Every structure is written in structure tokens, then in C-alpha cells.
Amino acid sequence: MTSCNNITLKAILMALQATWNYSDNKDNWIACELAGIILLSIIYLIWTHLAYFSLPKALPAKRHSSQSRHRYRSSSPQVNRRSFAIFNAFPVRKDDFGYVWMTVPKNYRDSTDDGVLTALFLGPLISVACLYASAQQSLSLAPSGNLLPASWLIEAPIILHRPDAYSAIESVHRSRHALVQLSSLTSSLLLVHIIASRVYEGYHRARKTLPESERASVPRREWLRSRLYIIFAILTSLAALGTKFGFVYSGVGIWRDLSYLDVASVATFYQATLYMAIRLAHHSFTLGELSFATFGATILFTETLHVTIARIWPVTTPYMKTFRLPNPLLIFQLALIPGSILVGVLLAPLLYLSRHIAQRPLRKLRFPEEKQVHRRFLALGFYLGVALITGGLIGMWTRWCLGGRDPWLWTIFWILEGEKKWTRPLLLAYWGALACVSVAGWGRQLSRSRKYRQKTSFTPVSGMSTDNSTQVHQAPFSPSASNFATQTASQPDQNLSSSNNAVQLSNAAPNALGIQLNLPTLPTLPNGQNVSMSTVATDLLDAADKRMPTLRLNARRKFFHALSVIMFVPGIAIDPAFTHLSFSVAFAIFTFAEYLRYFALYPFGAAIHVFLTEFLDEKDGGTAILSHFYLLTGCASTIWLEGPSKLLGFTGILALGVGDAMASIVGRRIGRTRWSATSLKTVEGSVAFTLSIVTCAWLLRLCGLVEPFDTTRYTVAVAITAVLEALSVQNDNLTLPWYMWSMQVLMGVQ
């Protein structure tokens, strides 16, 4: 068992102890659920790592040349060599990994760890932390009290109008009991998948031997694979319903707060989302990342289902089973995030055709001369469909949940209801200005760096040596890079380069001051007249860009971490409720941007694809580009969880924008002591992670932005998170904020 698995296991044991201490006799069944998941997970780890139970050895996998170049490609040649050497020195045995039913190793991202304990424990850990926080608040607050800090400017949560209706605090507390049980249900489903997949693979592996990148139990035909998965998912859902019936019949309190509808819908949705995510986002997830993303989607689906049920049958529903306060912030988040996914599902035929036509060569199309016309009509149909679904189905559902209030007018008036009338409009202008400047600046820098990237030799100019010219290393390009993006991106470069090939630097004579200047000679038109001043300015900028150093890939990515601090700290400090809604809007915008990129929608798809591929690292090798989703979700997660203190709201920004960035900078600059032979993370980087976060937290306290907190406990929680950041190979932006938030709650930092 790796050190990362030990940390995750200790965290869930801490959650188990907290649940047992703060539960009555009835609620101790939740502790029994967690204990069962822990016990089964430990048995699974022992079973998969003992040589006696290992699968028959597979043939060595033949690594494709393109995969070898892509796997550990980075902006730094030294990192490439070190990563490749480490990978060869410590080969990974993929047979020990866990797999969802009917999936193969090539469906997952290349990694030295499948993240099985992250998949099984991170969801229950967050759920127990939420339950622990609501339990403490229910003991310290009156039934009519407010669970949110006073700085949250939002109307009171929705309460069902019936005599025996629960208060807001009681509803959230009971709902979070169901949240813990739901997390144990999803972990149980995943455990069934990976155990059944391994047993079935062992049965087939004994009869035939295949390369390690394939599995003997998984058929090659896609339709047969999908049919087997659907049959298995249906049987697993029926088994979950049977287990629920057995618990009720025998008087066992496990899954007590989950109805039969909850069990059936969660089991069906969770398994369907697992398979669709691994098929659409091919080679983009590890098992841990896949399970956690699917768990989050299941939570949003369950909240949407229960809000709808409470609006349909308000008389028979004792409380609204949402895991956060059922206020307009939750309604809008459910309309934006699941709604954006629903748009993609409903418009899937148009999206599929757009990607299919864009990827197919002209010679294989039935009407090649009409390719661009078809793409434009498909894009127009998608845009009209988005407007119709957003304004119709989603808008009507939001109006219905808001009690007949128009969601568009409510949003406009709510923007003017901040602490000051100008506060929220000013935040919007601030965020918009930063986003526009950042995207425009990076767009210009990246386009010019691609223009002067030394793919081919160029004629050296006078006064500028080729030995001193800066070489720009191209970021790893996604395997999903299609021909449409390459062709579209190459056309502007060709046009720009053709107009600037005439620019040459000549040594001018010394001027009156005796200084010799190197100025570009202006190109001459056919009639003998010089070009305009705008062309002169462009030529001067081109000459300057050739001398301008280009940031490496790590610096490019950490720039957006720093940008998140600059953008979101003022919003969380001034108006966390408005920032909550803004994060949801940003996630929906990112979703639609990924639709445009992935499905090559005219006219923005190619431009978005070319821009995003400049920031990809070895963890972004799949068809879907998820780094910006992970960064946004990590920063927003601690606000979306609606913690009881202000400090908890800053956890995502501090973990990613400050701690992760400082760990990377210090570890690369002065790091000497590695945590393990298979890791590039250093002890010095982890120390920088801890000290930077604790220092920033104290600065926030001195500025009066957070309440007083226990520095010792806070430092211990951050240090544990730093060790996890160093040892885990899962995506830091996705897992660290949630883990750090949970540890702060369970350790009682405030």
C-alpha cells in the first residue's frame, strides 16, 4: 500500500471516529456503513497486491511511437528525461489496477496509481465532513438560525408550507445523513464493478493471453461491449434495490434515509455516467478522478430530482432533501451546471455530425464541396437549440422552482442588491476586465510564439544570431487534435509569415550621438513607396517578439493559478453569495466552450482548441481538456459546500492559487530531497506549500476577512494536505481543495 493510500485511509478513519462520536444510537448505522466500506476496500487491496491472487502475466504491451512521444512530453527537456527514466525504472503493472466493468487500460489516463482509494473514500470523507459541520451547527444554533456566515447576502431558504415541516437547519442535517449514505452506495457500486471486472478477467485470462494494454474479458466490438455493460448495470441496480429491501425487512438502519427511488435512480445514473464519461473523455481520467467526477454529477442529479419532487408533491414531502440550503443559489446552480449537460445530451446528434464532418478528409465526404456549408448549418442549429432549451425548458423549470418569479429579472435585480448597489456590478467589471486582458494577452503571445517556433530553419537576420535565439518548446498536443484544427490554425500563420518575410535587420550607421542602431529596413511596394506606419509597427513588434523569452509550460499553467487568487479573493471577501453564483455561471460557460472545441463547431471550435492545447501537460492526454474545469471546480468547491466559517471559503483559493503554485516554484528551483524514488515532488516544495498557505491565512485574519482560528490545527491540516499533494498522482486541482476542506472541518480548526 502506497503512502498516498495510507493518508487517504487515515483520513477516512478520522471521519469514521467523528461520525461515531457525534451520533446517537440510530445514527451509528452510518458509522457501520463507513466501516464496511473501509473493511471491503482493505480486503480488495490485499487481494489485488498479493502475488498468490495475481492474474496470469500478460504479454508486454507494444507502445506506439506516438504514445511514447506524448506520454511524458513537457516544455522542459530535463523533465522529459527524468520522467521517462523514472517510468522505465519503476514499471507499472496495470493488472493490479481497478477497472470499471467493460473498460480497458487505454480508456484511462497513464498513471502510476489508479487512485482506487481516492475513488472509494473521497466522496464519503466529504460527506462525513458536511454532516459533522451541520451537526455542530444544529447544537449551537436555534432552529430558526442561519447556517451561512453573515456575509452571505441571499434570501432565506425555501421551506415547505406544512404544519410538520422541518426547519432549514433540521432539513439540511437530515439531508446530509442521506448524503453519507448515498456516498456509501456509490462506493459500494464502484467496488462491485472493480471486483467483478477482476474476477471476470481472471476467468478469461486463464484461457488466452493478450498484451497488457488489453483485457481478455472485454470484447473488441463496441456494440457488444456496451450491451454487456448495460446488462451488468441493470443487474447491479436490481441488486442494490434487493439489498435495500433486505435492510428494511431485517430492521437494519443502513441506507435508512434513502428511499427505493433514491437507490434505483442513484444506481442507474451513477453507472450510466461512469460509462459515458469514460467513453466520451477517452484517456482523460484515472479511476479516482473518474469516480469522483461521477460522484459530483450524481449529487447534482439527486438534488435536482428532490427539488422537483418537492415542488410536485409539497404536501407529502416532509423536507426538501438537498445537501445544501435550498435557496436561489442552489436553484440557479442546478439550472446552470446540470442544465448545460442536458443541452449537450439533447443536441447530441448535431454535435456528433459536426465533429464527424470536421474530422473526415474531403476525399471521404459524399459532398466535399459543401463541407463548410454543412458545418455552418450544424453550428447554427446548435446555437438555436441552445437558445431554445435555455430559454424554454431550463428557464421554465427555474421559474417554477423560484415560485413563479422570472429568473432573468431576478438575476438583474439581485445584482443591484449587494452591500452597495455598485458592489456587484464592480465585481463583474473587474472579473471581465481581467479575463479579457488575460485571454487577449495570452492569445497574442501564443500566436506569435507559434509563428516563430523553429519547426523549420529560417534565414538568420543581421544583428541577430541563431545561436542566441530562443527556442520554444511546443506544449503536448492532445491526441484528439483533428485535421480541422490543424488546417484552420495553420492558415493565419501562413498569412502572417508571408507578409513579414521581407523584414530584415541591417546595421545602421552611427547617428549623431555615436550610437549604432539596428533597425529593420522597411519593405518597398512595387511603385517604390514605403508601407504604412501600421505595417512598420507590426514589423517592429515581430522583431521584438523574436527576442522575447517564452514562458515554459509550468509557468504558463501557474499563471492561471495566480490569476485565480487575483480574481476570486476579492469576490469571496466582499460577496461570497454572488461569487457562488458566478462560479456556477463560469462552469456553464466552460462546458459550452468545450462543446465548441470538442465537436469542432463553427466558427469558434478551432480557435479554442489551438488556444487550450498550449497549456496541456502529461495529465491532459485525453480527448477532453479538463484542466480549466479542475481549476475552476477546485477554487469554487469550498464556496459551493457552504461551510460555516469564512476561512473555509478561502480554502480552494489558498490550496491551488497559493500553495500549489509555491510548491511548484520552490520545488523546481531549490528542491533537492524527493519524497520517493518514483516522484518528482520534493520535501522543500511541500514545506513551501504549508508555510505559504498558513502565512496567507494569517494575513486574511489580520485584515479582518476571516475569523480567529486554531493555528496549530490549521497547520497540521495543511501539512497533511501538502503530503497528499506530494505523493498523489491524481489531479491536484480536483482533489486537494476538497480534502483540505474536509480535514479542517473534522479537526475543528474553528
Side-chain angles (χ1 to χ4, degrees), residues 296-315:
T298 305
I299 295 300
L300 294 176
F301 165 77
T302 307
E303 288 183 320
T304 305
L305 177 64
H306 284 291
V307 168
T308 305
I309 291 175
R311 294 297 299 174
I312 296 176
W313 297 291
V315 178

Side-chain angles (χ1 to χ4, degrees), residues 343-358 374-386 389 595 599-602:
V343 168
V345 173
L346 296 179
L347 299 179
L350 295 177
L351 296 175
Y352 172 78
L353 289 175
S354 176
R355 180 178 174 85
H356 174 75
I357 294 176
H374 292 165
R375 289 188 60 201
R376 293 178 183 181
F377 274 112
L378 289 172
L380 179 61
F382 173 78
Y383 300 141
L384 292 177
V386 169
I389 296 173
Y595 287 156
F599 296 103
L601 288 168
Y602 180 87

Side-chain angles (χ1 to χ4, degrees), residues 28 83 85 97 151 167 181 299 356 371 376 430 461 477 516 579 645 647 649 679 716 747:
N28 284 338
S83 301
F97 284 11
S151 58
S167 65
Q181 297 166 16
I299 295 300
H356 174 75
K371 176 178 181 179
R376 293 178 183 181
Y430 174 71
V461 296
F477 199 79
Q516 186 174 3
T579 308
S645 68
L647 180 62
S679 174
V716 172
M747 295 182 66

Side-chain angles (χ1 to χ4, degrees), residues 324 333 337 580 583-584 587 633 636-642:
R324 294 161 294 166
Q333 186 181 63
I337 298 180
H580 183 294
F583 277 136
S584 301
F587 193 96
T633 304
S637 59
T638 52
I639 288 291
W640 287 343
L641 289 173
E642 300 176 0

Side-chain angles (χ1 to χ4, degrees), residues 415-432:
I415 291 176
L416 302 176
E417 294 177 358
E419 187 176 357
K420 302 290 183 181
K421 286 190 175 181
W422 48 265
T423 303
R424 289 171 176 172
L426 183 62
L427 278 176
L428 285 177
Y430 174 71
W431 291 334

Side-chain angles (χ1 to χ4, degrees), residues 539-556:
D539 295 338
L540 291 175
L541 288 174
D542 291 344
D545 286 331
K546 290 180 180 179
R547 297 176 180 269
M548 184 181 299
T550 303
L551 293 177
R552 292 184 176 181
L553 176 62
N554 184 68
R556 299 182 205 171

